[in-house]
């Protein structure tokens, strides 16, 4: 029980007419106003009314000075204020008055707040007022909910007095338990309001423990592979207030997030918090060493895609790569619609090491069509087995090198063919990678050149101590950490429809990746557009070796004919002779306004080595001229000067002789004495 205390000490016995007074402040119970009561006593010879102190003179000199005034005052106090105070009289010259705080705070003051009075100088006051809340929440704790533990938490509230009811966040009436216990949702900021039996209010705002989530944005799986078993690390952004444990069998649990020695196969990780929530996620360990996700799609592709993310205030900001045309950060947003014709076969290429791939055409009405995806490379999980030479380097180290010999089937070890490396290394020989000799696996520690062997040497730790010996070395490796995939959409299947293309990459070990295209309109003929087909002779960020050719259909405003000339003349005093003149046909294409990313895609398309516009071969002739952005929009106008391939006038002769493939008869000539020739 909270209390305010006042100690009154009488240093001398008070004379007649002396005065003692104090104020008692009452904060008021819930719903009532605060008030102050003034108590004043006067010392008199005979008590004839309340708040009078009869002064009995001290006849005993052995009694401490002031003791009789203290006794006289206590007698008056008990008579005038029955039950209002706890009175603790001493055997000396002081008394302690206690005001208990039950339904409101009560505090002592001296000095006459409302009624002036003057205390006798022989009276001393010591006041210790309680400043705490009469009714308050002293502590709280969280524990496991009775059900739905991944969504809810049990909250226990210990209060200074019994909380009779709760008005927020839920309603509880006629409570008889302290602590008060209730259940609420995890991951919330909870405003709590309680009332005691007298109507006093106590409130606090609590943050409940967060939600356990295994979504890809907060939970990732990192796998470091080796032939002797993989090490798996679970990377988790655990919410505040959660203690996380992990298990691979739902039996043995550990706080450590690392598991070692996992063999190739499928696994399930179980994750739980201290409040009874448990979730699981499947993952796969393979021998290919893929431990980081990889996905890439070139902007040179025919269809423009945007990465789908949840935009945030302090991450995942809007940018050109994750917004469609109508989502960009400009005031006037225009929605791009790519145009294709029913005769078009549009191929999209992308790089990925995800396990599950899906391409889907989504029509405006919601119908979805799955498009087959074809793997065009074989980069991951390659196997190699071949003859090698091994020798001791001393100090527990061995060297291995390759001159020539047989290659073998990795599993059956039957010969396949022969090879010649002459001291070079196989493509899998990289520092940190693994290889096998027989049943033992070794890690490549370094690669050095040995002049005596005239070969690059793989250095590894091994107990072999002999001289050069023949062995068979095996390796499972990745040429690249991704495969190349393509899918082709036959636009005739979507004639007179508006569609989008969705590309999804999922993997139990990696966060999912989803790309969505701009709107695509398909017609038999797209009026006032030019067809642009383009590719490169060599691989760039597109593997053109697969035979892929990209196509765009872009609306244009005008095509202006221009010339690009090269002239060489010889001038004298009397004449001018044309030595050489070349004329190149140039067309200036002025395109209709395009949204920013399609404008960039068009610039890339026209910058390829091989470009055909409406079936005519062109080459980029000069820097592009761009107007834009137009106003506060996302629109740009491109002017591109393109020179025609093979259409060159040369005054010295035709570029194309016109001769066919058939043999040509060349006549014979005989020189004459007159510096001439005659035909025979």
């Amino acid at each position: 029980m909270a209390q305010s205390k006042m100690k009154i000490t009488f240093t001398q016995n008070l004379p007649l007419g002396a005065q003692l007074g104090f104020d008692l402040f009452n904060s008021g119970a819930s719903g009532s106003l605060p008030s102050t009561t003034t108590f004043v006593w006067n010392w008199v010879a005979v008590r004839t009314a309340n708040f009078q102190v009869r002064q009995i003179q001290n006849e005993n000199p052995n009694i401490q000075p002031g003791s009789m005034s203290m006794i006289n005052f206590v007698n008056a106090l008990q008579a005038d204020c029955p039950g209002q105070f706890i009175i603790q009289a001493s055997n000396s010259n002081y008394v302690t008055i206690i005001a208990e705080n039950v339904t409101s705070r009560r505090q002592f003051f001296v000095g006459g707040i409302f009624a002036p009075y003057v205390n006798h100088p022989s009276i001393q006051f010591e006041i210790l007022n309680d400043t705490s809340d009469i009714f308050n929440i002293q502590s709280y704790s969280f524990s496991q909910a009775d059900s739905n533990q991944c969504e809810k938490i049990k909250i226990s509230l210990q209060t200074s007095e019994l909380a009779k009811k709760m008005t927020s966040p839920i309603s509880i009436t006629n409570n008889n338990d302290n602590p008060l216990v209730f259940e609420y949702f995890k991951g919330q900021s909870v405003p709590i309001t309680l009332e005691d039996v007298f109507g006093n209010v106590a409130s606090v705002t609590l943050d409940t423990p967060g939600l356990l989530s295994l979504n890809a944005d907060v939970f990732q799986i990192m796998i470091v592979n080796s032939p002797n078993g993989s090490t798996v690390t679970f990377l988790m952004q655990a919410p505040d207030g959660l203690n996380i444990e992990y298990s691979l069998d739902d039996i043995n649990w550990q706080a450590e997030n690392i598991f070692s020695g996992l063999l190739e196969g499928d696994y399930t990780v179980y994750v739980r918090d201290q409040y009874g929530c448990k979730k699981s996620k499947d993952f796969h360990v393979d021998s290919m060493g893929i431990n980081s996700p990889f996905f890439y799609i070139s902007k040179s592709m025919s269809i423009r895609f945007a990465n789908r993310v949840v935009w945030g205030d302090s991450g995942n900001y809007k940018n050109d790569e994750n917004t469609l045309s109508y989502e960009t950060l400009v005031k006037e947003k225009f929605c791009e619609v790519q145009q294709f014709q029913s005769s078009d076969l549009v191929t999209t290429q992308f790089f990925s090491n995800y396990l599950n791939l899906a391409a889907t055409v989504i029509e405006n009405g919601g119908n979805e069509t799955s498009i087959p995806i074809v793997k065009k490379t074989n980069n991951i999980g390659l196997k190699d087995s071949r003859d090698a030479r091994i020798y001791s380097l001393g100090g527990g180290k061995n060297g291995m090198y390759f001159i020539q010999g047989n290659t073998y089937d990795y599993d059956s070890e039957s010969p396949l063919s022969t090879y010649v490396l002459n001291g070079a290394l196989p493509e899998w020989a990289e520092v940190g990678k693994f290889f096998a000799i027989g049943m033992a696996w070794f890690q490549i520690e370094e690669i050095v050149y040995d002049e005596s062997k005239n070969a690059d040497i793989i250095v590894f730790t091994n107990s072999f101590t002999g001289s050069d010996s023949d062995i068979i070395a095996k390796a499972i490796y990745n040429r690249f950490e991704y495969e190349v995939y393509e899918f082709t959409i036959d636009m005739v299947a979507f004639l007179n429809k508006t569609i989008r293309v969705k590309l999804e990459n999922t993997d139990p070990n990696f966060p999912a990746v989803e790309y969505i295209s701009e709107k695509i309109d398909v017609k038999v003929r797209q009026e006032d557009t030019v067809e642009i087909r383009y590719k490169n002779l060599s691989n760039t960020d597109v593997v053109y070796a697969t035979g892929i050719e990209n196509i765009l259909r872009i609306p244009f405003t005008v095509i202006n004919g221009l010339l690009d000339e090269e002239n060489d003349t010889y001038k004298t005093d009397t004449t001018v002779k044309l030595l050489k003149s070349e004329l190149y046909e140039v067309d200036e294409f002025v395109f209709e306004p395009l949204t920013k990313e399609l404008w960039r895609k068009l610039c890339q398309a026209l910058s390829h080595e091989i470009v055909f516009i409406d079936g005519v071969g062109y080459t980029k002739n000069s820097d592009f001229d761009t107007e834009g952005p137009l106003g506060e929009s996302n629109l740009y106008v491109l002017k591109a000067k393109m020179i025609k391939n093979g259409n060159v006038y040369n005054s010295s002769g035709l570029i194309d002789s016109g001769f066919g493939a058939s043999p040509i008869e060349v006549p014979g000539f005989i020189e004459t004495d007159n510096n001439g020739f005659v035909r025979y």
Side-chain angles (χ1 to χ4, degrees), residues 271-404:
V271 184
R272 71 181 183 185
D273 63 24
Q274 72 270 39
Y275 301 116
C277 177
K278 181 173 65 177
K279 294 189 175 183
S280 63
K281 186 178 182 68
D282 296 330
F283 67 98
H284 180 75
V285 173
D286 58 30
S287 59
M288 303 173 188
I290 300 298
N291 53 42
S292 298
F294 187 93
F295 178 86
Y296 178 77
I297 185 168
S298 171
K299 287 189 176 183
S300 295
M301 292 297 100
S302 305
I303 297 174
R304 195 260 158 169
F305 289 89
N307 186 16
R308 296 286 81 185
V309 300
V310 178
W311 302 307
D313 296 325
S314 57
N316 283 345
Y317 301 108
K318 277 190 173 185
N319 55 47
D320 293 336
E321 319 311 321
N322 62 27
T323 55
L324 295 169
S325 54
Y326 58 88
E327 299 169 334
T328 53
L329 296 171
V330 295
K331 290 185 177 180
E332 297 182 46
K333 301 177 176 66
F334 287 85
C335 179
E336 189 65 71
V337 179
Q338 285 195 255
Q339 302 181 51
F340 290 101
Q341 296 183 173
S342 56
S343 59
D344 295 336
L345 296 174
V346 181
T347 299
T348 299
Q349 183 185 101
F350 62 95
F351 304 165
S352 176
N353 60 9
Y354 280 72
L355 188 62
N356 305 306
L357 312 173
T360 308
V361 173
I362 305 173
E363 300 176 19
N364 257 5
N367 293 333
E368 296 187 0
T369 302
S370 180
I371 305 299
I373 297 176
V374 179
K375 187 172 79 166
K376 308 297 288 188
T377 57
N378 186 27
N379 294 329
I380 298 176
L382 301 179
K383 294 181 178 181
D384 182 59
S385 178
R386 65 181 64 223
D387 289 330
R389 301 279 291 172
I390 185 176
Y391 67 104
S392 175
L393 295 173
K397 303 292 184 182
N398 284 181
M400 183 174 66
Y401 63 100
F402 301 83
I403 303 299
Q404 63 182 15

Side-chain angles (χ1 to χ4, degrees), residues 616-637:
V616 178
Y618 285 91
T619 299
K620 180 180 178 181
N621 190 46
S622 62
D623 292 344
F624 296 137
D625 182 11
T626 295
E627 179 185 356
L630 302 181
E632 296 182 328
S633 73
N634 57 340
L635 296 180
Y636 296 76
V637 174

Side-chain angles (χ1 to χ4, degrees), residues 380-624:
I380 298 176
L382 301 179
K383 294 181 178 181
D384 182 59
S385 178
R386 65 181 64 223
D387 289 330
R389 301 279 291 172
I390 185 176
Y391 67 104
S392 175
L393 295 173
K397 303 292 184 182
N398 284 181
M400 183 174 66
Y401 63 100
F402 301 83
I403 303 299
Q404 63 182 15
N406 292 328
T407 60
Y408 303 91
D409 180 89
Y410 185 91
D411 299 309
S412 68
E413 297 187 352
S414 58
L416 294 178
S417 62
T418 60
Y419 80 90
V420 177
L421 286 177
N422 289 332
L425 295 176
E427 62 178 341
W428 50 261
E430 296 179 13
V431 173
K433 298 298 178 67
F434 292 86
F435 67 94
I437 300 175
M439 298 298 293
W441 287 89
F442 304 93
Q443 188 173 26
I444 301 175
E445 298 172 12
E446 59 178 318
I447 295 175
V448 299
Y449 182 75
D450 189 332
E451 292 184 358
S452 66
K453 308 294 184 185
N454 194 25
D456 289 324
I457 306 299
I458 293 175
V459 179
F460 60 102
T461 299
N462 189 27
S463 58
F464 177 76
T465 57
S467 57
D468 282 30
S469 299
D470 292 326
I471 58 167
I472 295 177
K474 292 184 173 183
I476 301 175
Y477 66 100
N478 303 326
R479 180 175 292 120
F480 300 106
E481 298 300 303
Y482 59 83
E483 300 285 7
V484 179
Y485 297 91
E486 291 181 355
F487 63 90
T488 301
I489 301 175
D490 188 347
M491 290 298 177
V492 72
F494 307 100
L495 179 61
N496 297 324
K497 294 179 180 178
T498 300
I499 62 174
R500 290 186 187 273
V501 182
K502 181 171 67 174
L503 179 58
E504 297 173 288
N505 285 233
T506 59
D507 193 294
N509 297 349
F510 308 139
V513 173
E514 179 180 322
Y515 278 69
I516 194 75
S517 75
E518 301 280 4
K519 290 183 178 180
I520 297 172
D521 177 66
V522 183
K523 288 185 170 56
V524 173
R525 169 66 181 167
Q526 297 286 2
E527 299 294 337
D528 299 321
T529 64
V530 291
E531 175 196 84
I532 304 173
R533 294 184 179 271
Y534 55 98
K535 62 182 179 180
N536 281 331
L537 295 173
S538 56
N539 297 332
T540 54
D541 63 341
V542 178
V543 180
Y544 286 103
T546 65
I548 187 173
E549 182 182 75
N550 300 304
I551 179 174
L552 292 175
R553 294 190 182 273
I554 305 296
F556 69 96
T557 303
V558 66
I559 303 175
N560 298 317
L562 304 173
L563 287 178
D564 190 334
E565 302 182 47
E566 293 183 10
N567 299 298
D568 186 12
T569 59
Y570 174 71
K571 299 177 182 178
T572 67
D573 293 339
T574 59
T575 184
V576 178
K577 182 178 178 64
L578 179 65
L579 299 179
K580 181 181 179 182
S581 178
E582 291 182 350
L583 300 178
Y584 296 85
E585 296 184 19
V586 177
D587 283 333
E588 181 186 51
F589 293 86
V590 181
F591 296 97
E592 287 288 293
L594 300 171
T595 56
K596 183 167 72 171
E597 284 305 299
L598 196 61
W599 160 73
R600 284 177 170 159
K601 183 180 290 291
L602 176 58
C603 292
Q604 284 195 16
L606 297 178
S607 299
H608 276 64
E609 294 176 301
I610 299 176
V611 179
F612 282 88
I613 303 178
D614 283 346
V616 178
Y618 285 91
T619 299
K620 180 180 178 181
N621 190 46
S622 62
D623 292 344
F624 296 137

